Amino acid sequence: MIDPFGRHISYLRVSVTDRCDFRCVYCMPEHMTFLPKAELLTLEELERVCVAFIRKGIDRLRLTGGEPLVRRNVMSLIKNLGKRIGAGGLKELTLTTNGSQLSRYAGQLKAAGIERVNVSLDTRDPDKFRAITRWGDLNKILAGIDAARMAGLKVKINTVALRGINDEEIPDMLEWAHGEGMDLTLIETMPMGDIDANRVAQYMPLSLLRGKLEQKYTLTDSSHRTGGPARYVHVAQTGGQLGFITPLTHNFCESCNRVRLTCTGMLYMCLGQNDDADLRTPLRASAGDGLLDAAIDDAIGRKPKGHDFIIDRRHGAPAIMRNMSLTGG
Ligand code: SAM
Ligand code: SF4
């Protein structure tokens, strides 16, 4: 699939549920209203859409959410998609998770063909962890990370940089992650959805953070890529890779290779734009995939050039009204 700007679309992110067992302060309000269950695609329908995309050339698929591992029976979807790895057309099936269910699922994920998972962890301080996630228990996450590694999964840590909350702790996170043989990626907060917190206060430009890290570490630009938008540096002192996802300070749209499917069957061609394509109606309209295939082609033909996120004092309101948990991070 080639979009109007000549970009090869090969990566699909699927939000399998908008629900979550955490309420991270930058992601959703404490009293979040979730979608009525009746609006969700069934797991079989999600699989059918994924398979249609694989047929069209998607070779990397990431499951996300909400928290993907809280959706009931999600393992049946993961097992079926896992069977598509290799000759079935998929190069890779991965998962982004908050880690809360990893102790329970790590072995099954590995057995299904998943090789690596991204675990979102913003701090290793138990009190801060509780303050950021509102409902999370750090020990459970650390045990989940251990379980994943014991099961043979490669773990990458994703950390959202939050001014005045965890920015001072980043060197410690870096040394811990790299010391354990895990890559670390830092993410800027994106202005998505209503939250009951102040985004302007939370926002920490990664260019600033990188400058601070460079006072302590030798960072060398690296050609390392993981299929996503992160740009990596090699850290001489730790020997590990440090990624930066910088939608606000550095626009990464030129090389965008992905589209995102929500759990209701809406396709977002860009995380930072409102245009979407309804795949649920063509999916349900017939047992064959002709209508679905046509709707996918039409959507890819509308993929926009890029987003225009901005966070400054005049733009405290979200640029995009939907929360990240709907489209998936
Ligand atoms: N629940 C899973 C998790 O936390 O990893 C998967 C979904 S979560 C929406 C995916 C990623 O998006 C997480 O790393 C999270 O930190 C990040 N995220 C959520 N809201 C964000 C925002 N407004 N700006 C930047 N990153 C955000
Ligand atoms: Fe849940 Fe992930 Fe959003 Fe946190 S970032 S509330 S864990 S979906």
Side-chain angles (χ1 to χ4, degrees), residues 14-18 27-28 32 35 65-66 261-264 266 268 322-329:
V14 183
S15 175
V16 299
T17 174
D18 65 324
C27 184
M28 52 174 92
M32 177 74 179
L35 294 163
L261 180 73
T262 71
C263 53
T264 59
M266 301 306 289
Y268 284 93
R322 57 182 193 277
N323 291 78
M324 186 75 106
S325 49
L326 178 66
T327 345

Side-chain angles (χ1 to χ4, degrees), residues 13 20 22 24 26-28 63-68 96-99 118-122 158-160 187-192 195 199 324-326 328-329:
R13 292 191 170 219
C20 190
F22 290 2
C24 301
Y26 47 77
C27 184
M28 52 174 92
L63 302 179
T64 174
E67 174 46 42
T96 299
T97 173
N98 66 21
N118 287 357
V119 179
S120 304
L121 181 68
D122 302 326
N158 281 349
T159 301
V160 175
I187 308 176
E188 276 173 351
T189 52
M190 293 172 232
M192 297 189 65
I195 52 171
R199 280 196 200 284
M324 186 75 106
S325 49
L326 178 66

Side-chain angles (χ1 to χ4, degrees), residues 22 98-100 119 121 129 137-146:
F22 290 2
N98 66 21
S100 67
V119 179
L121 181 68
F129 185 79
D137 171 0
L138 178 67
N139 282 330
K140 223 171 136 185
I141 308 311
L142 295 177
I145 292 174
D146 284 347

